[in-house]
Every structure is written in C-alpha cells, then in structure tokens.
Amino acid sequence: MTSLCPRCRKAMLWREGDRFYCESCRRVYQQIARCPECEHPLEKLAACGAVDYFCQHGYGLISKKRIVLKYEEVA
C-alpha cells in the first residue's frame, strides 16, 4: 500500500517506525491510526507478531482492516 502525501498527493517514502517523508514537499509526516467510528487516535497493541488496535472512547478492539490512517506533519 502506497502512502500519499496529504499536501501534494505524491507517494511518500517510509522513514522509520510510523514516519514518512515527502520528497516533493520536503516534509515529514507521522502516520496515525484512527478509529473509524469516532476518529480518535487508537492505541496499538502488538504481541507475538500480531497487531490490533484499541479505541479508548468506547468502541473497544478495532480490526487492522477497519482503521483509518491519517498523516500529521511532524514539527
């Protein structure tokens, strides 16, 4: 899956962890998983190679297939 820059919509390069770099805009973005129901950031739960997400705002466990990925600029 290609991560597109939220500003110019061009493909970004993966940096490390959850950070991406747009060569066109020369900006660094952090990828944030958000709940599909309430749009709040999700807590990432990783164990034994499996990754799940948890919404602390009443929606419980959220499947990786349902999360909404957003990119926020890192200062």
Side-chain angles (χ1 to χ4, degrees):
M1 180 167 109
T2 302
S3 298
L4 299 178
C5 175
R7 178 173 271 194
C8 70
R9 307 302 299 161
K10 294 190 178 177
M12 293 191 290
L13 301 172
W14 175 74
R15 272 270 176 86
E16 59 184 60
D18 56 358
R19 299 203 181 214
F20 290 80
Y21 177 71
C22 178
E23 289 183 313
S24 178
C25 296
R26 297 183 179 167
R27 297 179 188 274
V28 176
Y29 293 94
Q30 180 175 0
Q31 184 183 64
I32 298 177
R34 294 192 174 268
C35 176
E37 306 298 332
C38 68
E39 290 286 317
H40 282 92
L42 296 170
E43 183 179 338
K44 186 176 182 178
L45 306 171
C48 301
V51 176
D52 284 307
Y53 295 87
F54 182 76
C55 177
Q56 296 182 356
H57 298 276
Y59 293 98
L61 282 176
I62 305 292
S63 163
K64 187 165 59 171
K65 295 177 184 178
R66 294 189 55 228
I67 64 171
V68 176
L69 293 176
K70 300 280 184 174
Y71 297 90
E72 293 181 3
E73 190 172 346
V74 176

